[in-house]
Amino acid sequence: MRLIKCRKCGATIATDETFIQRMLDDINILCERAKKDKRNNQVYLQQAAAIRKIMQQYLHVTANMDEHKF
């Protein structure tokens, strides 16, 4: 378990570490590929941005669900 602060609402949540870590690893891989491949770097950066947005939405929804439970 890992405590993470939601960027939208500021709530602190406990999340499954493997899911978040996998998303962060994917973002790092895409950023490294963007540095190496100058021709297609915008594609890799857009994919990384999409994963960041999905992660932010996941954390916000999780924070809202935890807030309504208690």
Side-chain angles (χ1 to χ4, degrees):
M1 297 299 286
R2 185 180 204 180
L3 289 175
I4 298 176
K5 186 174 181 179
C6 179
R7 291 183 182 180
K8 282 187 174 182
C9 62
T12 304
I13 19 173
T15 62
D16 182 19
E17 189 171 338
T18 57
F19 179 69
I20 299 298
Q21 189 61 42
R22 190 176 305 147
M23 293 181 101
L24 291 173
D25 289 342
D26 288 342
I27 290 169
N28 288 337
I29 289 169
L30 288 169
C31 289
E32 288 174 11
R33 287 182 184 171
K35 288 179 186 176
K36 290 179 182 177
D37 187 4
K38 296 296 181 186
R39 184 186 304 172
N40 296 321
N41 68 345
Q42 287 300 316
V43 174
Y44 292 125
L45 293 176
Q46 287 174 354
Q47 290 175 351
I51 292 174
R52 278 189 199 104
K53 187 165 181 118
I54 290 170
M55 188 171 63
Q56 183 179 10
Q57 290 172 350
Y58 169 77
L59 293 174
H60 185 65
V61 168
T62 305
N64 284 340
M65 287 174 43
D66 286 346
E67 191 175 291
H68 290 293
K69 280 184 185 177
F70 302 108

